[in-house]
């Protein structure tokens, strides 16, 4: 399927200044923001229902998140708003303590994210394996698709042909012209059909009441004491980490799609700042919206923070000034857009039989466990977290089996040559590789082809030496490289 992404190579590194000087580029950014705003409204309302707050809280949050991030330096073209992942985290807090504690939690979560940015936590992103990223993308695509299913159950039959027509428009309209984003054409066309043909189908207005005024500065009505901190701190920490993980992974995905780098530390700082501002304007916590980001970047061709800002601005203006019009948009139009987004987001190459046959089984397992947990828990953070843990365990297990020990006996001397990386997983078995009772009086352990990585390995070497000494035999350890020798000198004989 042809998408604007494939045609935007000259624009990939466009700046805000260059875009503002080019009517053609500016039009693309503004229209991308408009399409995203239309896709945001029903989903944000749905997330506020999950969190147990008024829809206006989510819409205000989406406005402040998008605009603040656009000015504080978030990933260009990435959309941040009230998101489902963090809505699930704060739902118990709202039920138990009320919405004012939610606002305080949002502010504290933002402060924590700023602190994490200062500490450079974003640099840990390089430890996420490629297969986890693929699992993240595929789990995201399935989750986006599955989230549309409630809109296709127990609905009038007219919904189905409308969805099919919407998918056709989004897929094939770019072959006619790319002057206007295909999703916008689909939304306008399907809305016009339902209005003029008087077709009664579920609409955006059925999702909840839209706001009638602009957000105002609001100080959380909670006691400023230690008891309040004890209540909100656990939720704020969870929101900060879940939101930051989802945002940084989304930023990395957009980097790959657009072939442009972004500062993950700056993204972390921007996310935190946006949440702080959002909390003071009576909004729910937010983070990157992966599905809407794909609508803006992959389907509509957004490339700068201009589209991010306009997504928030349009969303608020449409909800406040044109709420009656927006309320008439059929959900079928938005479902069609999101179905195309899920199909274009999924990494189909990763599940081809030729790819699966070529890949190591352990890496395929990591990808699958990430996908399965992401879909089952409806939480990308859990899927990615377990995926990373699985990759670490499988990697450690694989490396542990690469250590070999070769024994050579020459008269009164036994030479053991150890080859491989020695750390907690591989060195635990090292102790069993020696013939303590059978060996002659002198034992030489050659570690010139090895490296000692941790205290577990030093303890294993000490145990080997002690075992031979119990038999009255002498042990010489040689061949240590400089780093291993320093660790041996510092910890040797001091761990038991």
């Amino acid at each position: 399927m042809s998408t604007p992404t494939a045609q935007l190579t000259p624009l990939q590194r466009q700046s805000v200044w260059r875009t503002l000087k080019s009517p053609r580029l500016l039009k693309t950014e503004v229209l991308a923001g408009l399409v995203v705003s239309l896709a945001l409204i029903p989903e944000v309302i749905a997330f506020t229902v999950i969190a147990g707050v008024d829809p206006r809280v989510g819409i205000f949050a989406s406005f402040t998140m998008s605009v603040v991030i656009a000015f504080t330096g978030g990933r260009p073209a990435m959309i941040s708003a009230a998101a489902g992942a963090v809505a699930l985290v704060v739902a118990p807090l709202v039920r138990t303590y009320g919405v004012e504690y939610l606002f305080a939690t949002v502010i504290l979560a933002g402060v924590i994210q700023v602190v994490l940015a200062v500490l450079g936590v974003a640099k840990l992103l390089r430890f996420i394996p490629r297969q986890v990223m693929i699992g993240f993308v595929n789990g995201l695509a399935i989750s986006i698709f599955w989230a549309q299913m409630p809109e296709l159950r127990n609905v009038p039959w007219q919904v189905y042909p409308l969805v099919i027509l919407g998918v056709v428009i989004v897929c094939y309209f770019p072959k006619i012209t790319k002057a206007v984003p295909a999703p916008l054409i689909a939304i306008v066309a399907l809305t016009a059909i339902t209005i003029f043909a008087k077709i009664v189908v579920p609409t955006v207005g059925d999702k909840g009441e839209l706001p009638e005024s602009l957000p105002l500065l609001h100080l959380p009505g909670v006691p400023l004491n230690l008891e309040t901190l004890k209540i909100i701190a656990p939720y704020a920490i969870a929101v900060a980490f879940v939101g930051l993980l989802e945002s940084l992974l989304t930023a990395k995905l957009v980097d790959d799609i657009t072939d442009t780098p972004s500062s993950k530390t700056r993204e972390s700082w921007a996310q935190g700042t946006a949440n702080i501002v959002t909390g003071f304007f009576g909004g729910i916590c937010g983070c990157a919206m992966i599905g809407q980001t794909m609508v803006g970047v992959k389907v509509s061709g957004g490339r700068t923070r201009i589209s991010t800002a306009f997504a928030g601005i349009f969303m608020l203006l449409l909800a406040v000034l044109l709420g009656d019009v927006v309320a008439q948009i059929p959900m079928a139009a938005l479902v069609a857009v999101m179905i195309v987004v899920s199909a274009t987001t999924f990494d189909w190459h990763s599940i081809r039989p030729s790819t699966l046959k070529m890949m190591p089984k352990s890496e395929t397992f990591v990808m699958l466990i990430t996908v399965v947990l992401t879909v089952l828990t409806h939480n990308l953070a859990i899927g990615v977290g377990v995926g990373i843990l699985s990759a670490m365990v499988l990697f450690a297990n694989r490396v542990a089996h690469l250590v070999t020990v070769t024994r050579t006996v020459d008269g009164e001397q036994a030479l053991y040559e150890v080859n491989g990386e020695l750390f907690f997983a591989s060195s635990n078995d090292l102790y069993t590789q020696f013939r303590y009772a059978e060996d002659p009086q002198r034992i030489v352990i050659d570690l010139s082809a090895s490296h000692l990585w941790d205290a577990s390995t030093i303890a294993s070497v000490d145990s080997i030496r002690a075992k031979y000494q119990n038999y009255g035999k002498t042990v010489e350890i040689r061949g240590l490289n400089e780093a291993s020798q320093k660790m041996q000198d510092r910890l040797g004989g001091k761990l038991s």
Side-chain angles (χ1 to χ4, degrees):
M1 183 186 71
S2 176
T3 67
T5 301
Q7 308 297 326
L8 286 175
T9 302
L11 308 182
Q12 286 174 344
R13 296 187 180 276
Q14 72 188 57
S15 64
V16 170
W17 181 241
R18 178 190 171 194
T19 302
L20 291 174
K21 292 191 297 182
S22 169
R24 181 174 60 87
L25 298 182
L26 182 59
K27 182 196 68 175
T28 299
E29 296 296 310
V30 172
L31 291 179
L34 176 59
V35 172
V36 169
S37 67
L38 293 171
L40 268 174
I41 291 175
E43 191 158 351
V44 166
I45 293 174
F47 291 152
T48 59
V49 172
I50 292 174
V53 297
D54 190 281
R56 289 173 293 185
V57 173
I59 291 175
F60 290 163
S62 302
F63 164 70
T64 55
M65 286 289 297
S66 297
V67 173
V68 172
I69 273 190
F71 283 95
T72 53
R75 158 74 228 191
M78 192 168 81
I79 306 300
S80 292
V86 288
L88 289 170
V89 172
V90 297
L93 173 72
V94 177
R95 285 196 300 268
T96 306
Y97 297 100
V99 72
E100 294 296 327
Y101 280 84
L102 167 65
F103 301 149
T105 300
V106 175
I107 295 170
L108 181 57
V111 172
I112 294 171
Q113 288 177 330
V114 170
V115 171
L116 291 174
V118 173
L119 295 176
V121 71
K123 295 177 182 177
L124 296 177
L125 206 63
R126 66 179 182 270
F127 293 106
I128 298 180
R130 178 179 180 274
Q131 290 305 104
V132 174
M133 276 300 300
I134 292 176
F136 162 76
V137 170
N138 290 347
L140 151 69
I142 295 172
S143 297
I144 292 173
F145 179 81
W146 197 251
Q148 312 313 310
M149 292 302 102
E151 307 300 335
L152 299 176
R153 290 196 293 264
N154 301 319
V155 294
W157 67 268
Q158 294 94 330
V159 168
Y160 304 110
L162 286 172
V163 170
I164 293 172
L165 176 60
V167 170
V168 171
I169 293 174
V170 175
C171 290
Y172 293 102
F173 189 80
K175 295 181 181 298
I176 301 173
T177 177
K178 299 180 179 68
V180 181
L184 181 58
I185 297 298
I187 292 170
V188 172
L190 267 60
T191 303
I193 290 172
T194 56
I195 292 175
F196 291 112
K198 297 182 179 180
I199 300 174
V200 180
V201 292
T203 63
V204 171
D206 297 330
K207 288 295 181 180
E209 184 181 353
L210 298 175
E212 298 178 352
S213 62
L214 298 176
L216 300 174
L217 185 64
H218 173 83
L219 298 178
V222 298
L224 299 178
N225 54 33
L226 187 59
E227 185 63 29
T228 298
L229 183 61
K230 288 180 180 178
I231 292 172
I232 68 175
Y235 294 99
I237 293 171
V239 166
F241 277 95
V242 170
L244 209 52
L245 177 61
E246 194 152 340
S247 298
L248 294 178
L249 288 175
T250 304
K252 191 173 188 304
L253 178 60
V254 178
D255 290 352
D256 294 340
I257 291 173
T258 61
D259 288 330
T260 56
S262 64
S263 170
K264 304 305 179 293
T265 297
R266 190 173 179 182
E267 175 63 38
S268 304
W269 186 89
Q271 288 284 339
T273 305
N275 271 313
I276 293 172
V277 173
T278 296
F280 279 117
F281 276 90
I284 192 174
C285 40
C287 65
M289 296 282 285
I290 304 171
Q292 279 65 31
T293 296
M294 293 299 102
V295 171
V297 174
K298 203 165 188 179
V299 181
S300 302
R303 285 296 181 274
T304 72
R305 297 186 184 97
I306 295 175
S307 62
T308 304
F310 270 102
I313 293 170
F314 275 133
M315 182 176 180
L316 186 64
L317 293 179
L318 288 170
V320 174
L321 302 179
L322 298 174
D324 293 339
V325 177
V326 173
Q328 296 183 63
I329 296 175
M331 287 302 300
L334 301 176
V335 168
V337 172
M338 299 310 291
I339 286 175
V340 175
V341 167
S342 67
T344 57
T345 300
F346 195 90
D347 186 348
W348 297 101
H349 179 269
S350 67
I351 61 171
R352 289 178 183 170
S354 58
T355 304
L356 295 175
K357 183 178 180 180
M358 174 184 62
M359 292 295 294
K361 289 183 173 59
S362 60
E363 297 203 22
T364 299
F365 172 80
V366 168
M367 186 265 286
L368 291 176
I369 195 68
T370 304
V371 171
V372 170
L373 286 178
T374 295
V375 174
L376 291 181
T377 64
H378 306 290
N379 192 323
L380 292 167
I382 293 177
V384 171
V386 175
I388 293 172
L389 182 61
S390 301
M392 291 169 58
V393 172
L394 291 170
F395 174 77
N397 182 66
R398 187 164 64 248
V399 174
H401 289 85
L402 296 179
V403 174
T404 58
V405 179
T406 304
R407 176 176 180 264
T408 304
V409 177
D410 183 11
E412 291 300 311
Q413 175 178 296
L415 172 65
Y416 285 88
E417 295 177 286
V418 182
N419 190 308
E421 303 299 311
L422 296 175
F423 63 110
F424 64 90
S426 58
S427 61
N428 284 337
D429 292 333
L430 186 65
Y431 180 83
T432 64
Q433 304 297 310
F434 295 82
R435 302 180 186 180
Y436 301 98
E438 301 174 21
D439 283 337
Q441 289 299 113
R442 174 176 167 77
I443 292 88
V444 176
I445 302 176
D446 186 356
L447 296 174
S448 57
S450 301
H451 185 97
L452 312 187
W453 285 103
D454 56 13
S456 296
T457 304
I458 302 299
S460 293
V461 173
D462 286 347
S463 298
I464 294 168
R465 192 196 303 268
K467 184 76 170 179
Y468 275 117
Q469 288 175 348
N470 289 338
Y471 280 96
K473 301 174 182 180
T474 61
V475 178
E476 176 192 352
I477 296 177
R478 69 187 186 194
L480 288 174
N481 58 37
E482 183 178 355
S484 299
Q485 186 63 59
K486 286 182 179 179
M487 181 175 285
Q488 175 66 35
D489 294 341
R490 186 172 72 253
L491 298 177
K494 302 175 184 177
L495 296 175
S496 61

